[in-house]
Each structure stands twice: as C-alpha cells, then as structure tokens.
Amino acid sequence: MPKTTKEEEVQAGLSLLSQAMLAAHGHVTSRATRQHLETAHSNLRSIAQILKSLNMQEIGSSDSQPRRTFAARSVDELLRVHTNFLRGKVKLLLSAAEACRPERS
C-alpha cells in the first residue's frame, strides 16, 4: 500500500474516531466512562500532532474520499474499534515513517 494511502486512511480514521468520541461523550452518564472517552479523544489529538510533526500530510474532510465505516453500537464497542485502529493502522504507518526507524551504524 503506498505511503499516501496509509496516511489518508490513518488521518480519516483519526477524524472519524475523534468525532465518534465526542458524540459518545454527550450521551454517556457514567463519570468513569466519560473520563475514558476524554482520554481516548486526547490521545487521538496527540497522535494527530505526532503525525503532523513527522510531516505527514493532513487530510481535510473535503479532500478525502468517502470511506467504509463501522457503526459502533456501544461505548465499549467504540473503544474496541479505537484500540484496534491504534494497534493496526497507526502502528503500521509509524513503523514505515523515516523518523521512527532505528538508526543503523
């Protein structure tokens, strides 16, 4: 998969997950669950900043093509999707980033 496609998928995923976290936050009454959502959303923003500092292009919603999405039916399911996204797409993208490769002597 070309680097730009990986970047686009990760940026689109970050954007969708961020929107979902904010939407879920408004519907949750449990203080502990709200804290988990706030932390997850903060982590997504941090990842976006890391990608930006690695000079990976930021994809705006108007530039990106519609992607297949997954409808989470619960906050637990949303957090599972979030975790799997981080384990998969972001890890794959960062492992290919020049700045994240180990130096060879």
Side-chain angles (χ1 to χ4, degrees):
M1 178 182 308
K3 184 178 176 185
T4 55
T5 303
K6 288 181 196 176
E7 291 175 12
E8 289 172 357
E9 285 186 7
V10 170
Q11 290 289 351
L14 288 172
S15 176
L16 286 170
L17 281 169
S18 182
Q19 291 171 24
M21 295 290 172
L22 291 174
H25 188 271
H27 297 284
V28 172
T29 56
S30 164
R31 183 178 169 111
T33 304
R34 282 179 155 228
Q35 183 62 40
H36 284 297
L37 289 170
E38 289 168 6
T39 300
H41 185 256
S42 176
N43 290 341
L44 290 172
R45 288 192 321 250
S46 295
I47 291 167
Q49 287 294 75
I50 290 168
L51 295 178
K52 187 176 180 180
S53 72
L54 292 172
N55 294 322
M56 294 185 181
Q57 73 182 61
E58 189 169 339
I59 308 297
S61 57
S62 61
D63 296 283
S64 60
Q65 297 176 349
R67 303 268 182 206
R68 193 180 86 191
T69 59
F70 175 81
R73 293 191 168 104
S74 68
V75 173
D76 288 342
E77 197 171 12
L78 176 60
L79 292 172
R80 241 186 329 275
V81 169
H82 170 258
T83 301
N84 290 336
F85 176 77
L86 295 178
R87 285 184 183 149
K89 296 287 187 190
V90 174
K91 183 178 178 181
L92 179 66
L93 180 61
L94 290 176
S95 69
E98 189 84 23
C100 296
R101 293 187 186 153
E103 290 185 41
R104 293 189 174 155
S105 24

